[in-house]
Amino acid sequence: MDSRTLTLLVVFTLGGCASTQVLRDFSTDGCSLFPDGDAEDRVRWCDCCVEHDEAYWRGGSAEERKRADTVFRDCLVTRSNRPTLAAVMYRGVRIGGTPWLPTGFRWGYGWGYGRGYAPLTADEQRHADEKQRTQRYGHQRSGFCQKH
């Protein structure tokens, strides 16, 4: 076998191994494994959780996750006026939201398991933007926190 044939064989074989991950539709359950609010207002901080879920669905770099978690904590403090509660929920997402756990609420859960921490490519960015535009205020997002 000549080197040109071998090169083509390797390229086609490796090309067949490459897989394009598909971004699933956005889904949320509000404040996964935690109440969406308190006794006075059962959805007091639910919107914070849904916004956080949007960031986690999309995924990206470790820095983007840290930023999403910080925005989440700040939203919780504003909505609940309970810094201790916000700190507990923040710790929960920092520990439980790692992309390495095969959960439905891990960082980057919109993509297949194993994507880890990676900035979205330009194509992934466009695809995620389009999905968010068409779904953001659709059946999953709009009114989720008012249903409870």
Side-chain angles (χ1 to χ4, degrees):
M1 184 179 310
D2 66 58
S3 64
R4 200 168 98 184
T5 303
L6 181 60
T7 302
L8 286 173
L9 182 61
V10 168
V11 167
F12 287 121
T13 301
L14 292 177
C17 294
S19 66
T20 304
Q21 289 202 16
V22 175
L23 180 61
R24 291 185 291 273
D25 289 347
F26 174 70
S27 63
T28 183
D29 62 357
C31 300
S32 309
L33 306 177
F34 206 87
D36 293 340
D38 55 24
E40 295 171 6
D41 181 352
R42 295 182 56 108
V43 293
R44 184 179 305 273
W45 49 80
C46 181
D47 285 334
C48 301
C49 297
V50 173
E51 292 290 330
H52 188 250
D53 283 354
E54 283 184 320
Y56 265 57
W57 164 80
R58 187 180 188 102
S61 69
E63 295 78 23
E64 289 171 303
R65 178 176 173 227
K66 176 75 170 165
R67 187 170 37 253
D69 292 345
T70 300
V71 168
F72 176 60
R73 182 191 59 211
D74 294 348
C75 182
L76 292 167
V77 169
T78 300
R79 291 289 182 92
S80 71
N81 198 28
R82 297 178 187 152
T84 303
L85 172 78
V88 167
M89 291 177 76
Y90 174 80
R91 271 289 128 223
V93 297
R94 291 305 299 160
I95 295 166
T98 178
W100 312 119
L101 294 175
T103 64
F105 50 81
R106 66 177 159 68
W107 178 249
Y109 72 83
W111 305 98
Y113 176 71
R115 188 173 194 292
Y117 290 116
L120 272 58
T121 65
D123 285 340
E124 290 171 333
Q125 194 76 283
R126 280 191 292 279
H127 187 59
D129 289 346
E130 178 60 26
K131 278 207 178 254
Q132 280 188 296
R133 259 192 305 281
T134 59
Q135 295 181 333
R136 183 174 186 136
Y137 297 104
H139 77 282
Q140 265 295 329
R141 177 77 167 75
S142 178
F144 176 86
C145 295
Q146 285 70 43
K147 292 179 186 177
H148 292 53

